[in-house]
Amino acid sequence: MTKTEENMATAKIVYASMTGNTQEIAEIVQEALEDRGVPTELTEMSQAVAADFADADICVVAAYTYSDGGPGLLPEEGEDFYDDLRALDLSGKVFGTTGSGDRFYDDFATAVDMFADAFTAAGATKGAEGVKVDLAAEAEDIDNLEIFADQLIAAAAKLA
């Protein structure tokens, strides 16, 4: 994905979802970005290549946090993606992370923070604070995800 003729920012969202909650979160962000005129590509993490972020101005990961009673873990399908993401040079790119978790666990939605750290290691600029959703997105979460999209667009405009 490259910039359009109008020099509009483009976005790439990669998501991992076990129950469908995080896919819904990713789709909410996609809709918010597209409603604001940002062409957005959505890809399931097991089908994605981290290097594809090089072709986008706004890079988003939406991931669930897996917990087996121990510390919160990355989705299994996201482990290699995470390592590949950390190794990239995403200087000049804006990133945001979001995802779902269960407040029942001490490590609530830690994958959101872990992917933010990976983007930072890759040299990307944080465009918005991570949005953590308890299980499924409700009205307040949708509002927060729309604000998240607005912040990403504003940050990308500053870097353009």
Side-chain angles (χ1 to χ4, degrees):
M1 201 179 305
T2 59
K3 291 188 178 193
T4 63
E5 292 175 353
E6 300 85 29
N7 208 27
M8 165 97 31
T10 60
K12 169 89 174 159
I13 302 171
V14 175
Y15 73 92
S17 188
M18 180 183 286
T19 62
N21 290 338
T22 307
Q23 180 177 352
E24 179 184 15
I25 292 165
E27 290 169 350
I28 292 166
V29 174
Q30 178 186 26
E31 183 177 341
L33 289 167
E34 289 180 345
D35 285 351
R36 289 152 178 81
V38 178
T40 305
E41 182 181 329
L42 181 69
T43 308
E44 201 280 322
M45 194 170 286
S46 66
Q47 305 299 312
V49 177
D52 289 346
F53 281 130
D55 295 331
D57 303 296
I58 299 171
C59 309
V60 178
V61 166
Y64 66 92
T65 300
Y66 178 76
S67 183
D68 57 3
L73 304 170
L74 291 172
E76 185 176 328
E77 66 271 31
E79 292 172 0
D80 289 339
F81 187 88
Y82 172 85
D83 291 337
D84 293 345
L85 179 59
R86 290 182 60 84
L88 293 174
D89 178 2
L90 295 177
S91 303
K93 308 293 181 185
V94 168
F95 79 87
T97 55
T98 184
S100 63
D102 187 339
R103 287 200 187 277
F104 174 81
Y105 296 102
D106 291 335
D107 293 326
F108 172 64
T110 54
V112 172
D113 303 323
M114 295 169 77
F115 275 108
D117 291 344
F119 274 119
T120 299
T125 300
K126 186 179 204 175
E129 290 300 316
V131 177
K132 298 179 178 183
V133 176
D134 187 21
L135 302 174
E138 297 182 9
E140 181 180 347
D141 299 309
I142 294 168
D143 291 344
N144 290 336
L145 291 166
E146 289 179 353
I147 292 167
F148 173 80
D150 289 336
Q151 292 171 338
L152 292 173
I153 293 166
K158 286 181 185 176
L159 284 182

